[in-house]
Amino acid sequence: MDKKDLFKQQGYLILENFNSPEQCDALMKRGMELAEKYDYKGHASVFQTTEQTKTSDDYFLESGDKISFFFEKDAFDNSGQLKNSLFKSLNKIGHALHDLDPVFNEFSRSPQLKKLAKELGLDEYVIIQSMLILKHAKIGGIVDVHQDSSFLYTEPESCIGFWFALEDANTENGCLWAKPGGHSTSLRSWFRRKHGGGTEMHMMNDVPYSMEGMIPLEVKKGTCIVLHGLLPHYSLPNTSGKSRQAYAIHTIDSKADYPKQNWLQRNLSELKGFN
Ligand code: FE2
C-alpha cells in the first residue's frame, strides 16, 4: 500500500528517520534562542487546552502572522513570578515560525517534505500554522483530545498536520495518542472568533469521542507523523525527567474556503506551500 492509501485508511502516517538528529537539534537550538530574546513582561499569555478556558486574549488572536510565546498553565506563582526559567515556563511558540524565521522555514520546506507532499497529492496545499511544542520534563501539560480541523476549519474540511519528533516521544514523556482509522468520523467543534470579541467553541456534533482503541504513537527523534484533520488525538502530561519537544505545521487546501471567523487569520494571498 502506498503512503496516500495508508493515510486514507489509517488517518495518520508514521515516517521514521524523516529528519536527521542534526536537523532536530538545530531547530531546538533556534527555539531556545528565540525564547531567550522574548521580553515577556506584560504579555504573559497562557495556552490552555481545556476548550472553554482557552485563552482568548488579543496576544493569542494576533499570533497568526507572528512569532509568539505561550506559557504553561501553572507557569506563574501567586505573586505573578515565574516558577521556573522563562524557557522552561513556555508551552509553545507559534504560529508563523515557518514564514518568519529562516531556520524554521528551511525545516518546514525541506526536500523530503516537498517529496512527501507530492506523494500525498498536496500540490495545492499551503502551510497556515507552525508551532514549536516544548513539553518540558515534569512541566509539560496535557493536551485534551481534539481534532485539528476544529482550529483550522475549512469548507470543505482539508486540514493536514505534520508533527515532527525533535526528541524521542514515549508514554513517559507524553507522546501522541490516536486510534487507527479514528478520522472516519465527523467534525465535533469549531473554535472560532465570537461577534464582539473573544473566542468560542462552537459545537457541531455532541457525540463524545470514542476513546476505545487509542494507542500511543511512540516514536524516535526524527520521525514525522502526518495527521488527518479529523483524527481525534491527545497527549498526556510529561511526568518524566526528559523533555519531549516537537515541531508541528498545519496545512490546508488553498482551494477550500477559509472563514473569517477562524481564530487564526492570515493574509491568505501571502500563504505559501512547501516550496
Ligand atoms: Fe493537534
Side-chain angles (χ1 to χ4, degrees):
M1 195 184 292
D2 69 10
K3 287 195 184 86
K4 197 173 171 181
D5 288 339
L6 185 60
F7 181 62
K8 248 189 214 160
Q9 185 194 86
Q10 212 174 220
Y12 64 87
L13 279 181
I14 295 181
L15 306 164
E16 293 177 333
N17 301 311
F18 193 81
N19 289 106
S20 70
E22 293 73 25
Q23 287 170 322
C24 296
D25 291 343
L27 212 67
M28 289 192 286
K29 179 168 172 275
R30 186 63 187 144
M32 198 181 267
E33 285 168 7
L34 292 171
E36 278 165 3
K37 283 193 268 177
Y38 172 47
D39 176 16
Y40 72 91
K41 302 248 162 46
H43 11 163
S45 189
V46 179
F47 179 71
Q48 287 177 301
T49 54
T50 308
E51 293 166 347
Q52 297 304 329
T53 59
K54 186 183 272 280
T55 312
S56 57
D57 62 9
D58 292 347
Y59 184 75
F60 172 68
L61 286 175
E62 287 166 8
S63 67
D65 58 358
K66 296 184 179 66
I67 296 175
S68 301
F69 301 82
F70 301 92
F71 288 95
E72 283 290 342
K73 190 160 62 70
D74 301 319
F76 294 89
D77 64 19
N78 290 337
S79 63
Q81 299 299 309
L82 285 179
K83 292 186 203 162
N84 293 290
S85 70
L86 170 59
F87 185 62
K88 287 226 166 134
S89 302
L90 294 174
N91 171 289
K92 66 172 191 173
I93 306 174
H95 291 95
L97 290 158
H98 61 295
D99 284 335
L100 298 177
D101 184 82
V103 180
F104 280 88
N105 174 47
E106 195 182 328
F107 193 100
S108 310
R109 297 182 168 99
S110 66
Q112 63 270 37
L113 194 51
K114 286 186 188 52
K115 183 166 169 265
L116 174 60
K118 261 221 150 358
E119 287 173 306
L120 296 176
L122 308 181
D123 302 311
E124 309 267 3
Y125 269 59
V126 289
I127 308 176
I128 185 145
Q129 168 183 278
S130 51
M131 302 186 282
L132 179 67
I133 304 158
L134 298 165
K135 201 103 174 178
H136 291 297
K138 310 256 186 226
I139 295 172
I142 190 170
V143 176
D144 293 328
V145 62
H146 65 278
Q147 294 164 305
D148 289 341
S149 287
S150 291
F151 301 93
L152 296 163
Y153 177 75
T154 62
E155 290 170 352
E157 194 281 322
S158 68
C159 176
I160 293 179
F162 295 82
W163 189 98
F164 304 94
L166 303 179
E167 298 181 287
D168 294 351
N170 49 50
T171 52
E172 283 78 48
N173 68 358
C175 65
L176 292 179
W177 289 69
K179 174 171 43 181
H183 63 308
S184 302
T185 187
S186 61
L187 185 62
R188 297 299 198 279
S189 57
W190 176 13
F191 181 72
R192 64 186 187 186
R193 291 172 184 245
K194 252 192 317 199
H195 292 295
T199 57
E200 65 181 357
M201 191 58 85
H202 171 70
M203 295 309 293
M204 301 162 114
N205 176 348
D206 286 332
V207 178
Y209 295 113
S210 152
M211 301 301 281
E212 213 185 303
M214 289 277 191
I215 56 168
L217 307 183
E218 295 191 291
V219 297
K220 290 282 174 210
K221 174 174 183 164
T223 300
C224 169
I225 303 181
V226 190
L227 293 163
H228 191 284
L230 291 180
L231 182 79
H233 60 284
Y234 66 97
S235 70
L236 296 173
N238 183 353
T239 54
S240 80
K242 286 188 175 152
S243 66
R244 194 230 67 186
Q245 288 199 41
Y247 176 57
I249 60 172
H250 285 91
T251 66
I252 54 165
D253 190 339
S254 60
K255 297 192 304 304
D257 183 45
Y258 189 84
K260 281 260 178 276
Q261 298 104 293
N262 275 352
W263 84 265
L264 187 155
Q265 289 299 323
R266 289 280 309 253
N267 183 343
L268 296 177
S269 64
E270 278 176 8
L271 292 179
K272 290 179 291 175
F274 299 94
N275 291 301

